[in-house]
Amino acid sequence: QVQLVESGGGLVQAGGSLRLSCAASGRTFSSYAMGWFRQAPGKEREFVAAITWNGGNTYFAGSVKGRFTISGDNAKNTVYLQMNSLKPEDTAVYYCAADSRFGYGSRLQTEYDYWGQGTQVTVSS
């Protein structure tokens, strides 16, 4: 069993920064890919970013590319989402997810089999 716990969410003004963390426990993640998704009020959950543990390849949604970065610390089993130049439209619950089957950093939610509980990010204008 895998447990994912997000932290680092909060309230920030537009233009500000936040760093989200996702701590994983229960299994090793050397062959997994990790992703971040978000869900804004009244909208469907959407892909934000993903990283492959082995190669460190990263992928981003177009709406966050150039503003967000994703990184991982294998020793700590933790993945981070650094969010800069935040906009009000980034307001959402952010979820961390682990993919134990495919490992290539998918944008598809269905290819992630473990999910965290989410952390709220609110960006004020």
Side-chain angles (χ1 to χ4, degrees):
Q1 190 66 20
V2 173
Q3 295 81 38
L4 303 175
V5 179
E6 302 100 331
S7 61
L11 174 64
V12 64
Q13 288 188 335
S17 299
L18 282 175
R19 189 178 79 157
L20 305 184
S21 299
C22 173
S25 61
R27 295 180 66 174
T28 61
F29 284 79
S30 60
S31 60
Y32 286 28
M34 300 293 291
W36 286 97
F37 293 78
R38 67 186 183 187
Q39 187 168 21
K43 295 186 177 181
E44 295 186 352
R45 190 161 57 185
E46 64 177 3
F47 170 80
V48 176
I51 185 169
T52 58
W53 278 123
N54 287 347
N57 295 318
T58 59
Y59 308 92
F60 298 93
S63 59
V64 306
K65 198 168 187 178
R67 299 188 297 122
F68 291 12
T69 58
I70 186 172
S71 60
D73 185 332
N74 284 354
K76 296 182 178 180
N77 270 354
T78 299
V79 63
Y80 305 97
L81 184 69
Q82 178 67 43
M83 306 184 295
N84 299 328
S85 302
L86 283 162
K87 304 175 181 180
E89 50 262 45
D90 294 318
T91 295
V93 177
Y94 283 71
Y95 297 90
C96 171
D99 159 25
S100 67
R101 298 168 293 167
F102 303 97
Y104 61 82
S106 174
R107 297 171 182 259
L108 300 178
Q109 298 180 50
T110 53
E111 295 189 357
Y112 290 82
D113 39 1
Y114 300 101
W115 291 83
Q117 81 288 350
T119 185
Q120 177 70 47
V121 172
T122 303
V123 184
S124 63
S125 57

